[in-house]
Amino acid sequence: MTFNGLWATKTDDAISVALARLEDDQLMDGDVTVAVDYSTVNYKDGLAVTGKGAIIRKFPLIPGIDFAGTVESSRNPGFKPGDRVVLNGFELSMTHHGGYAQRARVPAEWLVKLPDSISAKDAMAIGTAGYTAMLSVLGLEHGGITPDRGPVLVTGASGGVGSISVALLSKLGYRVIASTGRVQEADYLKRLGAAEIIDRASLSEPGAPIAKPKWAGAIDSCGGHTLANVLAQTDYRGTVTACGLADSMELPGSMAPFILRNITLAGIDSVNAPQSVRSVAWTRLATDLDLGKLETTVQEIGLSEVPQVAAAILEGKVRGRTLVDVNR
């Protein structure tokens, strides 16, 4: 069977990504074959497709770090034809073909069955960004951060993880402070549930090792000076989850918040989280995320438009979520 997909090749240290007609025998090993409906464009996809990050480690390869669709065939008893499934992370777009194609073949342990209330389109509107946001919320809860503890900060609030973090936290009753470099997005963030908007410039420069506490916890997708300042302004026994490095991989901070305020810095790994953790996250997304709010964060494109959007997301020009209809 033939199918459409984006095909990434590499010559002379340059990556080229183009729409191609592919054959089933070009799929990789796996015990479940999926008819893909949707994928997304995430920051990591931007790095992979443009070649600005060493994401793809094996060429040629189908990029795309996530997908949702329907099982066509399975050699694993845990899945049967007709099951609706989602996959986020693992080796997709690194050493294994990813979601930017109409078909995928993957190991069963990478897949999660979708809750009945979430369609394949909803799943990718949520996407890896929303799944990561939910893992971050679970991290705050694990750290004891409840709505009565005080406000929660979300950095990179206009992006995919940030947008859905704002929507999740507000529905759960938290007072959300949204940090963004795009002040023109203030109304958009308030519609998602943000109570206060602050300019990311107030966090992105070197700051004091410890400062007046302003929030009980935070979800950070930036790293660098932003994360250091977030930690410095977190209240006693607060928790900060770190899930991204849009600013920097560095953490130029101080031990002071950890020693003087007993702050917890919780790392969020969405790539290799075990199936049991993924299932909890997707079950919670089915109940804790207002899908009506999510519609305002989504734009939809086809496979041929992915390279252009991948470049734009690295430039900070993409708001919210970008849904890829692989059959468009």
Side-chain angles (χ1 to χ4, degrees):
M1 180 181 291
T2 62
F3 60 94
N4 291 328
L6 288 184
W7 197 239
T9 56
K10 185 176 182 180
T11 56
D12 298 328
D13 296 324
I15 291 177
S16 175
V17 178
L19 191 61
R21 195 69 181 163
L22 304 171
E23 301 282 345
D24 262 13
D25 61 8
Q26 291 175 277
L27 293 173
M28 292 180 170
D29 291 340
D31 44 8
V32 182
T33 301
V34 178
V36 178
D37 293 316
Y38 294 95
S39 184
T40 59
V41 182
N42 301 278
Y43 191 85
K44 185 176 177 180
D45 293 311
L47 294 172
V49 171
T50 63
K52 292 183 178 179
I55 305 299
I56 302 176
R57 303 171 191 168
K58 181 177 181 179
F59 292 90
L61 199 78
I62 298 169
I65 67 168
D66 53 18
F67 67 76
T70 304
V71 172
E72 282 192 347
S73 63
S74 173
R75 301 193 308 272
N76 185 289
F79 295 90
K80 64 182 186 302
D83 284 345
R84 298 179 312 106
V85 293
V86 63
L87 200 166
N88 307 93
F90 284 111
E91 290 299 309
L92 293 194
S93 197
M94 294 192 293
T95 63
H96 198 96
H97 289 328
Y100 293 157
Q102 293 173 310
R103 291 169 66 74
R105 185 178 296 134
V106 296
E109 59 267 25
W110 292 1
L111 294 168
V112 173
K113 292 180 183 178
L114 282 172
D116 290 341
S117 62
I118 297 180
S119 68
K121 186 174 183 177
D122 290 336
M124 284 296 97
I126 295 168
T128 294
Y131 152 68
T132 303
M134 189 71 248
L135 292 177
S136 298
V137 172
L138 292 172
L140 290 178
E141 292 177 347
H142 182 74
I145 305 304
T146 52
D148 61 347
R149 287 282 305 275
V152 171
L153 173 74
V154 176
T155 66
S158 298
V161 174
S163 295
I164 299 180
S165 294
V166 171
L168 282 167
L169 290 166
S170 65
K171 185 175 180 184
L172 290 168
Y174 292 86
R175 184 177 188 276
V176 182
I177 302 172
S179 167
T180 180
R182 290 177 271 172
V183 293
Q184 68 272 21
E185 304 288 8
D187 289 343
Y188 161 76
L189 291 168
K190 287 180 179 178
R191 286 195 299 272
L192 290 178
E196 182 182 346
I197 313 297
I198 63 173
D199 193 322
R200 74 176 179 193
S202 65
L203 296 170
S204 60
E205 298 297 326
I210 196 163
K212 180 181 178 180
K214 295 181 179 178
W215 35 76
I219 293 175
D220 176 66
S221 59
C222 297
H225 288 297
T226 296
L227 178 54
N229 286 318
V230 169
L231 291 165
Q233 296 175 55
T234 299
D235 208 348
Y236 184 72
R237 297 189 69 85
T239 294
V240 175
T241 65
C243 62
L245 40 82
D247 285 356
S248 171
M249 178 133 1
E250 303 300 320
L251 179 52
S254 163
M255 288 297 294
F258 304 107
I259 295 173
L260 300 180
R261 290 195 183 144
N262 201 1
I263 304 301
T264 297
L265 176 59
I268 302 299
D269 165 40
S270 63
V271 175
N272 295 303
Q275 201 171 46
S276 58
V277 173
R278 293 166 181 264
S279 294
V280 170
W282 280 100
T283 298
R284 285 286 301 272
L285 283 163
T287 59
D288 295 351
L289 182 62
D290 183 339
L291 292 176
K293 278 186 179 180
L294 190 61
E295 289 178 1
T296 67
T297 75
V298 175
Q299 64 166 322
E300 191 169 326
I301 64 172
L303 283 172
S304 63
E305 299 165 89
V306 168
Q308 179 181 354
V309 175
I313 201 169
L314 297 186
E315 297 171 2
K317 296 179 179 179
V318 176
R319 181 181 84 175
R321 307 284 302 118
T322 301
L323 189 68
V324 182
D325 180 349
V326 302
N327 299 302
R328 179 167 164 174

